[in-house]
Amino acid sequence: MRPQRRANPFLLTVFLLAALVVPAVAHHPGADLDKLMGSEEKFFQVIDKPAPPFELADANGKAVRLSDFSEKIVVLYFIFASCTDICPVHSEVIADIQKKINATPLKNRVQFLAITTDPAKDTPDVLKAYGPAHGLDARNWMFLTTRPGEPEDRTRKLAETYNLRFEPVEDGQQMHGIVTHVIDRGGRFAAKFHGLRFDPQNMVLYLEGLADPSKSLEPGLWGRLRSLFQ
């Protein structure tokens, strides 16, 4: 009878450690990224449906379509330049998020789009001046408006397809809410961040998760990920 071989304690230890580590590495976070973000950010809303398409124009009159950015993640929001209330603050929040994104390899994978809901007043000169005045980087941000000959309310109606209303009131202002829309690659309307009280770092982490689903976003690692953007 052959004597039994005793297990090598070192190999046994390695095997047990591998059994603990592999599930975390193999776990695909795409399925639960939204759930995790929802647990971390109360102003986050999952959408997960096709984004309403559009064709508009940039400050130089060049046609711009949402589909032009099908290979990128799009951060989309609606504002108007003469807004005296929360639009400027919204743009400054976006500028902060953009700065964090552009400090990482994500700068070539995320496009920021602002759409004016007051195209009559937001002339090409106004559109061109708005970004620099609010700290926005033209490398991956642009301000869009209607094309020549389109109705003045064209972009307000577009905002309504995103369930956001801009109602003209006295003194040339508009009554509206604040929402930041995140559109994943391929035109999938991934989510919304409501208002201005969400944590910008949470949006950065959400964009990171969409851009690279292979990265683990387990709750225990959330703090470590957040520290990368501080």
Side-chain angles (χ1 to χ4, degrees):
M1 183 175 178
R2 298 178 62 183
Q4 291 184 340
R5 298 180 61 184
R6 297 182 61 184
N8 186 314
F10 174 76
L11 293 178
L12 181 60
T13 300
V14 170
F15 175 80
L16 291 174
L17 286 175
L20 292 174
V21 172
V22 169
V25 174
H27 176 66
H28 193 286
D32 62 7
L33 175 62
D34 290 339
K35 181 178 179 180
L36 178 57
M37 179 56 67
S39 70
E40 295 287 333
E41 178 56 68
K42 66 180 179 180
F43 299 105
F44 172 81
Q45 177 189 1
V46 178
I47 302 298
D48 193 22
K49 66 179 183 181
F54 56 78
E55 181 175 344
L56 297 169
D58 65 12
N60 295 313
K62 180 182 176 181
V64 177
R65 303 169 184 85
L66 177 61
S67 59
D68 293 340
F69 308 102
S70 61
E71 299 300 316
K72 295 188 176 185
I73 300 167
V74 174
V75 177
L76 172 69
Y77 65 113
F78 294 84
I79 54 172
F80 58 103
S82 62
C83 176
T84 58
D85 191 9
I86 52 180
C87 292
V89 180
H90 192 185
S91 286
E92 289 164 9
V93 169
I94 296 297
D96 179 45
I97 294 168
Q98 185 192 31
K99 182 178 179 180
K100 290 177 169 64
I101 288 293
N102 287 2
T104 75
L106 286 180
K107 64 179 179 293
N108 297 319
R109 303 172 71 181
V110 179
Q111 177 68 44
F112 296 84
L113 298 178
I115 298 177
T116 177
T117 57
D118 193 359
K121 289 183 179 179
D122 290 344
T123 63
D125 287 343
V126 171
L127 297 176
K128 291 176 183 178
Y130 191 88
H134 293 85
L136 292 152
D137 188 340
R139 290 180 298 174
N140 58 345
W141 177 90
M142 63 177 66
F143 204 171
L144 303 180
T145 186
T146 55
R147 295 172 296 171
E150 290 189 315
E152 186 271 337
D153 65 349
R154 164 79 171 87
T155 49
R156 292 200 296 276
K157 288 185 176 179
L158 175 61
E160 290 179 10
T161 68
Y162 283 82
N163 291 320
L164 186 61
R165 294 183 64 85
F166 281 73
E167 295 288 348
V169 294
E170 296 179 355
D171 301 325
Q173 295 299 297
Q174 299 176 28
M175 184 180 299
H176 63 95
I178 290 290
V179 181
T180 307
H181 311 82
V182 178
I183 301 170
D184 200 358
R185 288 163 296 188
R188 184 181 72 91
F189 192 171
K192 296 180 180 182
F193 286 75
H194 291 271
L196 296 173
R197 296 174 61 189
F198 67 86
D199 188 337
Q201 288 187 352
N202 279 341
M203 181 177 288
V204 172
L205 290 173
Y206 186 68
L207 298 174
E208 173 77 11
L210 291 177
D212 190 354
S214 67
K215 287 190 175 181
S216 176
L217 290 178
E218 293 292 333
L221 299 179
W222 197 259
R224 288 170 56 190
L225 287 169
R226 285 176 59 86
S227 68
L228 296 176
F229 297 96
Q230 289 179 346

